[in-house]
Amino acid sequence: MDFINCYADSNRADAYATLEFANTYYLAYRDLPAILAKHVTGTRALDFGCGTGRSTRLLRKLGFDVTGVDVSEDMLRIARGIDPLGDYRLVPGDNFSELEVGTFDLVLSAFTFDNIPGALKVRIFRDLGRLLTPSGAIASIVSSPEIYTHEWASFTTKNFPENASARSGDVVRIIVTDHRDGRPVEDILWTDESYQDVYKEASLQAIQVLKPLAKGDEPYPWVNETKIPPWVIYVLRPVM
Ligand SMILES: C[S@@+](CC[C@H](N)C(=O)[O-])C[C@H]1O[C@@H](n2cnc3c(N)ncnc32)[C@H](O)[C@@H]1O
């Protein structure tokens, strides 16, 4: 399937760079410090699909020595502008040969796999697994299938009723309402069952799966976030 990464676009990158940790995005990151404290020892981290560096800068604040990689030069240009001392690298074709095997205590992937076609997912997860230290872990935040069929503080999908009949592997559309780029983002729907198949093929296993819900007392205009989890967070380790 020919799938275009919609983040290879300077207007989208400029808009994306204005997002921080509010609204629906708050729930993607809220539990990350506790998850990493529980599963990760060591401080060397790779932020796979770092985009404009929001997730990379968060890892740095949490004490990690972090390298961010992405396939979009438009996104990386902004990441480097915001954080000139940061280590941000282009990885064309997801070739990780510049990164040393067995040296990362953590690989974080925040929303990156939403944009990666199924067949490539296995190859990339396998390669990311090889970059881990023996006790290392991957934390992968992805969109839940339900995000594409409901309304949210940060997103709308009501103009895309066809999302409701999408199957795992199909392209789905969603608009980010938290920034000024109103063009739909095209993602690939991927169910939990399909992720579990990918992990098995990539010799990884999910040791924790979280589906964060809002409590209701946060200062954000929740729509469905107290009832339906918009994100799924997988903590993965290589199968020995
Ligand atoms: C939704 S953005 C998330 C950025 C960042 N992780 C954050 O939390 O703000 C997804 C990023 O994944 C990148 N991406 C998509 N496919 C990729 C691939 N095959 N390899 C590396 N990065 C990829 C996109 O270019 C984009 O910058």
Side-chain angles (χ1 to χ4, degrees):
M1 181 195 10
D2 275 347
F3 179 77
I4 308 281
N5 174 19
C6 64
Y7 295 97
D9 176 300
S10 66
N11 289 328
R12 174 106 53 197
D14 285 340
Y16 203 86
T18 63
L19 297 173
E20 280 294 323
F21 301 101
N23 297 328
T24 315
Y25 286 108
Y26 164 79
L27 292 175
Y29 296 103
R30 178 191 64 192
D31 303 327
L32 209 53
I35 294 168
L36 301 185
K38 180 170 171 189
H39 294 289
V40 181
T41 47
T43 57
R44 183 75 182 115
L46 179 71
D47 185 11
F48 171 67
C50 62
T52 54
R54 168 176 56 170
S55 40
T56 324
R57 296 189 300 274
L58 176 71
L59 287 181
R60 173 113 43 69
K61 272 194 199 136
L62 293 175
F64 288 93
D65 162 23
V66 54
T67 295
V69 296
D70 205 289
V71 290
S72 166
E73 186 56 52
D74 289 304
M75 298 291 268
L76 288 169
R77 178 179 41 80
I78 295 179
R80 293 185 191 113
I82 296 172
D83 178 17
L85 298 180
D87 178 12
Y88 296 97
R89 305 187 197 176
L90 189 68
V91 283
D94 289 301
N95 176 344
F96 304 142
S97 56
E98 269 192 28
L99 303 167
E100 207 180 327
V101 166
T103 60
F104 290 91
D105 302 299
L106 166 68
V107 173
L108 173 69
S109 161
F111 319 117
T112 314
F113 281 95
D114 290 348
N115 302 109
I116 298 181
L120 244 190
K121 279 182 168 71
V122 174
R123 197 273 282 169
I124 293 176
F125 266 120
R126 193 177 292 130
D127 287 354
L128 292 175
R130 290 192 182 117
L131 296 177
L132 293 174
T133 58
S135 63
I138 297 174
S140 178
I141 306 171
V142 294
S143 295
S144 70
E146 292 74 25
I147 202 171
Y148 302 105
T149 50
H150 293 82
E151 295 299 291
W152 308 94
S154 299
F155 307 98
T156 179
T157 63
K158 62 178 185 289
N159 291 340
F160 312 111
E162 65 278 11
N163 286 354
S165 52
R167 311 232 311 243
S168 207
D170 288 347
V171 172
V172 280
R173 292 175 184 81
I174 184 165
I175 290 175
V176 181
T177 51
D178 277 352
H179 65 41
R180 62 179 175 270
D181 188 340
R183 292 174 295 168
V185 170
E186 291 198 343
D187 284 347
I188 292 166
L189 187 79
W190 207 253
T191 60
D192 179 61
E193 199 185 358
S194 298
Y195 269 115
Q196 296 293 350
D197 289 344
V198 164
Y199 300 149
K200 204 168 167 190
E201 269 197 74
S203 301
L204 296 169
Q205 59 181 330
I207 53 168
Q208 192 179 3
V209 182
L210 288 98
K211 300 182 178 184
L213 279 176
K215 294 184 185 122
D217 58 359
E218 299 90 347
Y220 302 121
W222 299 133
V223 186
N224 279 299
E225 286 89 342
T226 57
K227 302 180 298 260
I228 305 172
W231 314 111
V232 184
I233 306 174
Y234 294 98
V235 182
L236 308 163
R237 279 200 209 285
V239 178
M240 294 300 165

